[in-house]
Amino acid sequence: MSNGTFPISLRDMKFVLYEQLGIERLCQFDKFKDFSRETFDMVLEEGAKLAAEVIAPLNSVADKEGCIFEKGRVKVPQAFHDAFKKYSEGGWIAASVDAEAGGQGLPESVALATAEMFVAACCSFTTYPGLTRGCANLIQSFGTPEQKAFYLEKMYSGQWTGTMCLTEPQAGSAVGDVKCQAKKEGDHYLINGTKIFITAGEHNLAENIIHAVLARTENAPPGTKGLSLFIVPKIRINGDGSLGEPNDVNCGGIEHKMGIKGSSTCTLNFGDNGKCHGYILGQENQGIQLMFQMMNEARLGVGLQGFALGNLAYLYALKYAKERIQGVEITKLRDPNAPRVPIIKHPDIRRTLMTMKAYAEGLRALIYRSAYYADLARVATDPKEKEYCENMIDLLIPVVKAYSTDIAFRMTEWAIQVHGGYGYCGEYPVEQLCRDVKITSIYEGTNGIQAMDLVGRKLSLKKGALVMGWMKEVNEFIEKHRAHPTLGSFMAQLEQAKNTLVNASMHFAKTAASGDPLYPMLHACPYLEMFGEVELAYLLLDQAIIAKDKLQAIFEKAGAATPEAQAKVIEDQAEAAFYSGKIHAAEFFVTNILPQVQSRATTILGGNRSALAIPEAAF
Ligand SMILES: Cc1cc2nc3c(=O)[nH]c(=O)nc-3n(C[C@H](O)[C@H](O)[C@H](O)COP(=O)(O)OP(=O)(O)OC[C@H]3O[C@@H](n4cnc5c(N)ncnc54)[C@H](O)[C@@H]3O)c2cc1C
């Protein structure tokens, strides 16, 4: 797992990409024909090197130094400058952007795997290239040829960075309440308004910042339908592409946050002096539509961010549990001379580590699979496969975003617990991870909003076709492996949990149809967790089945026929230990975590409305 002192789960990343998903298939399509497993491996190795050697050393420095606001300017941690240069020069900002548009043209799934390493290494640093990519991708997807020529090369190369400006004081989750104004003036609009909480809104990493701003044109209809999207540079750009005069975008201050302190979170005032020029992307009133098209990508990114930190917390906890000596084995409690043991020998620590391992491996499978669906949706020639992949992305994205980030926060907390008192102190990295990861459940649509999206929109989208397609996939998997000699019994547990989830979904549909839309929303978050639990059980069992065959082949090659001989192979060979771990993780998840689906369903089907009924004065 280790790459220097910064741990990376490279083996599991490759397992998911190649052995579970089989991403080499992408190389059969024209778009990815220049790649092979070897080139993907080279990219992963390069990414691991950059993450461990250049980005990881920034993390605790950034936490201590933070960003400094002075007279409208923001200084990022000093060490970010050199790292940003190396990151940009390596072409990582545009890793999955088409080569013709200035990128490396990598599949999304491979770029995402490298992003896992970068984000884990220092997530406050990666907000700058991450937002740049998000903003540039908007221009790439919806800009005019002139806009693309003007901005993309400089953004993808890191010469200029980007932002996404949606939030205003009165418009957080309720994006439709955005008030920022855009008044047409010749070939541009005059932008006027204040945006808050803008990541990378002001900093000294690049010579210009390109803001993607949601604003309302004159006479626009109220709500989201009246929003338009504008490109607003911090510094105006002359016709020849050189920098011109300041564009009346001013930073009013930065937030002092519990985590991601190296990421500047800015209040931005647009057009205080009536001189802020914005250039429309797409047409008037199309803003939210365009943003929606980029939303899956952004939510996948935040799900990954949360997961990457949770996974890293697990790796640190595992390392600590193997090193920290405390107490004796429980069977030798009465023997004062019993040898002192590492805490990984204690059952409670093993349960905690196993919980983290199972979640980490299951979440990686979920997130990478979503990225692979995105790849297939881009290249598939069969329209049915294309539609299926798009449906799965739409259905799973709220789960990817909310389930991953909620679980990841808990994983960082469990990692602190494994470290005992040291976990609560600054010299160990896990307390920072716990602070850093919390934001992932809040931005890019809070997790409460994600759950409402799943229950209120995705379940019924296309007359339920998304969820029915997903169920068919899980059913086929169960049928295929029901008779598996060792893992077959777990299929029955998966089937029961899946059926329970279906019952809860039907119950929501009935309550909503009977004129009670509040009840499904009351339980949207626990429902999303149930969904995540069933999905992870499915993906982990899929991994276990693959691992079982591979492990058997290793045993046969080693001539290990007895349990003792096989245990010795697992002890001696890293590959055997890896596959054995997969089987144990799936078994643990299905028997220890999946049963939670039943208890959540009992509550949902029980119909209790006390949280809705209680008068506010009685809280
Ligand atoms: C560090 C940081 C970086 C950020 N970066 C950016 C950025 O780059 N660009 C940008 O535009 N914004 C950014 N944001 C803003 C972020 O997206 C918002 O904070 C988030 O959308 C929530 O909005 P809010 O804070 O106003 O909370 P609110 O919307 O007030 O929500 C408060 C609580 O109420 C719940 N809630 C709200 N409405 C409903 C509802 N209808 N039904 C059920 N529950 C509801 C929410 O789930 C939440 O739990 C950032 C925020 C932070 C803290």
Side-chain angles (χ1 to χ4, degrees):
M1 77 168 189
S2 177
N3 188 322
T5 52
F6 173 65
I8 296 177
S9 311
L10 208 51
R11 179 65 187 90
D12 197 48
M13 291 162 65
K14 290 184 180 178
F15 175 84
V16 177
L17 291 174
Y18 304 131
E19 293 166 82
Q20 188 171 27
L21 296 173
I23 63 156
E24 299 97 311
R25 182 185 158 213
L26 292 172
C27 306
Q28 296 167 4
F29 295 96
D30 232 29
K31 193 173 197 61
F32 301 120
K33 68 176 185 327
D34 295 338
F35 293 103
S36 62
R37 179 163 173 168
E38 285 67 38
T39 49
F40 292 153
D41 275 345
M42 273 164 55
V43 170
L44 293 175
E45 298 292 342
E46 273 304 302
K49 205 160 160 259
L50 184 75
E53 291 174 9
V54 177
I55 305 177
L58 307 173
N59 201 36
S60 68
V61 179
D63 191 50
K64 290 187 184 78
E65 201 175 317
C67 293
I68 297 163
F69 176 74
E70 241 173 42
K71 297 185 188 144
R73 297 271 176 259
V74 176
K75 284 187 192 154
V76 300
Q78 187 53 36
F80 277 16
H81 289 273
D82 183 47
F84 187 69
K85 195 164 172 278
K86 290 189 173 126
Y87 187 98
S88 308
E89 284 171 0
W92 296 105
I93 296 179
S96 61
V97 173
D98 288 346
E100 311 84 71
Q104 292 192 46
L106 280 167
E108 212 52 69
S109 39
V110 178
L112 184 105
T114 62
E116 178 192 326
M117 302 187 264
F118 301 148
V119 168
C122 182
C123 70
S124 66
F125 170 77
T126 51
T127 59
Y128 298 92
L131 266 298
T132 303
R133 176 170 44 248
C135 178
N137 285 357
L138 270 174
I139 299 172
Q140 158 73 4
S141 302
F142 310 116
T144 61
E146 294 74 30
Q147 287 171 334
K148 290 184 196 182
F150 233 53
Y151 298 103
L152 289 184
E153 196 190 322
K154 292 199 168 87
M155 294 182 79
Y156 286 138
S157 67
Q159 191 176 340
W160 299 346
T161 64
T163 72
M164 299 280 218
C165 302
L166 290 79
T167 307
E168 297 178 9
Q170 78 297 340
S173 301
V175 183
D177 290 344
V178 157
K179 283 186 188 156
C180 186
Q181 290 173 348
K183 193 171 170 194
K184 194 148 181 32
E185 188 187 68
D187 69 340
H188 59 264
Y189 290 74
L190 284 179
I191 307 292
N192 182 247
T194 294
K195 296 283 177 183
I196 61 165
F197 290 155
I198 302 308
T199 300
E202 168 59 28
H203 58 77
N204 58 345
L205 269 182
E207 62 184 32
N208 203 1
I209 304 175
I210 311 302
H211 305 286
V213 179
L214 269 187
R216 207 171 276 290
T217 53
E218 288 176 294
N219 306 319
T224 50
K225 290 200 171 113
L227 294 176
S228 306
L229 192 55
F230 298 89
I231 307 173
V232 183
K234 168 181 156 182
I235 299 172
R236 286 194 201 152
I237 302 151
N238 300 321
D240 62 359
S242 61
L243 295 181
E245 55 185 301
N247 191 28
D248 195 10
V249 181
N250 296 299
C251 178
I254 57 174
E255 302 298 333
H256 300 283
K257 312 185 293 288
M258 73 185 267
I260 58 163
K261 289 173 190 272
S263 173
S264 69
T265 307
C266 307
T267 299
L268 292 182
N269 300 313
F270 294 91
D272 274 357
N273 305 305
K275 292 180 181 163
C276 178
H277 291 186
Y279 306 90
I280 197 156
L281 264 178
Q283 306 296 316
E284 285 190 10
N285 301 332
Q286 272 189 345
I288 207 72
Q289 224 175 305
L290 305 191
M291 278 287 188
F292 256 120
Q293 290 182 49
M294 307 307 290
M295 219 166 254
N296 281 342
E297 182 185 314
R299 291 181 173 175
L300 181 62
V302 174
L304 177 84
Q305 187 187 356
F307 152 72
L309 300 190
N311 179 67
L312 184 61
Y314 161 60
L315 297 180
Y316 282 135
L318 178 63
K319 180 171 183 290
Y320 188 80
K322 287 178 177 172
E323 289 168 357
R324 168 71 174 164
I325 307 291
Q326 194 68 194
V328 299
E329 282 200 48
I330 205 138
T331 49
K332 295 180 183 143
L333 266 184
R334 284 170 201 279
D335 175 5
N337 298 318
R340 271 48 191 162
V341 294
I343 59 172
I344 196 168
K345 294 282 180 209
H346 301 316
D348 183 56
I349 294 291
R350 295 180 82 85
R351 182 191 52 78
T352 309
L353 290 174
M354 196 62 173
T355 306
M356 296 168 85
K357 174 178 167 66
Y359 272 127
E361 293 177 10
L363 289 177
R364 179 175 290 110
L366 167 67
I367 295 171
Y368 283 30
R369 193 182 186 86
S370 306
Y372 184 55
Y373 281 138
D375 286 327
L376 284 177
R378 278 165 82 193
V379 295
T381 41
D382 174 358
K384 275 197 180 147
E385 182 178 21
K386 194 176 171 63
E387 190 187 2
Y388 182 75
C389 292
E390 285 167 354
N391 284 351
M392 286 305 103
I393 296 171
D394 279 341
L395 178 69
L396 291 175
I397 280 297
V399 183
V400 166
K401 197 288 179 175
Y403 189 63
S404 306
T405 57
D406 277 341
I407 295 295
F409 180 62
R410 287 177 221 159
M411 286 171 73
T412 60
E413 187 227 317
W414 296 326
I416 292 175
Q417 200 67 18
V418 168
H419 282 72
Y422 293 108
Y424 195 67
C425 301
E427 62 265 47
Y428 280 85
V430 285
E431 65 85 30
Q432 185 190 341
L433 290 178
C434 188
R435 290 184 286 107
D436 283 350
V437 79
K438 184 57 204 158
I439 187 59
T440 58
S441 65
I442 297 169
Y443 57 23
E444 203 42 57
T446 64
N447 285 1
I449 299 293
Q450 301 299 326
M452 288 166 63
D453 180 43
L454 177 67
V455 171
R457 221 168 73 80
K458 300 295 171 59
L459 289 186
S460 53
L461 207 63
K462 299 189 182 171
K463 299 191 177 132
L466 278 55
V467 76
M468 283 190 299
W470 174 82
M471 260 162 42
K472 186 166 172 279
E473 182 182 316
V474 179
N475 286 341
E476 284 171 3
F477 172 78
I478 293 169
E479 282 317 315
K480 187 169 170 200
H481 300 291
R482 206 187 277 287
H484 193 281
T486 50
L487 296 165
S489 63
F490 298 121
M491 297 301 152
Q493 281 166 273
L494 174 62
E495 184 170 42
Q496 192 193 14
K498 187 251 331 167
N499 289 343
T500 306
L501 182 72
V502 172
N503 286 345
S505 321
M506 307 286 272
H507 188 69
F508 282 161
K510 267 191 235 148
T511 26
S514 70
D516 182 6
L518 292 184
Y519 190 78
M521 292 306 150
L522 179 64
H523 291 290
C525 281
Y527 176 87
L528 184 141
E529 289 193 309
M530 288 167 72
F531 206 114
E533 281 152 1
V534 176
E535 174 73 4
L536 254 58
Y538 156 49
L539 296 176
L540 286 170
L541 281 172
D542 184 39
Q543 296 196 342
I545 282 166
I546 299 164
K548 191 87 194 163
D549 287 347
K550 303 258 173 141
L551 186 58
Q552 193 53 40
I554 295 177
F555 288 156
E556 279 165 22
K557 195 167 171 212
T562 63
E564 294 74 29
Q566 292 176 351
K568 182 87 179 64
V569 171
I570 291 173
E571 209 178 298
D572 292 347
Q573 293 190 29
E575 278 295 275
F578 175 79
Y579 290 125
S580 166
K582 286 268 156 225
I583 300 163
H584 285 295
E587 182 183 329
F588 179 86
F589 194 90
V590 172
T591 52
N592 290 260
I593 295 170
L594 191 62
Q596 292 170 12
V597 169
Q598 306 299 336
S599 66
R600 290 187 220 283
T602 305
T603 305
I604 291 175
L605 300 173
N608 183 275
R609 297 172 56 90
S610 50
L612 294 172
I614 182 172
E616 271 156 47
F619 261 108

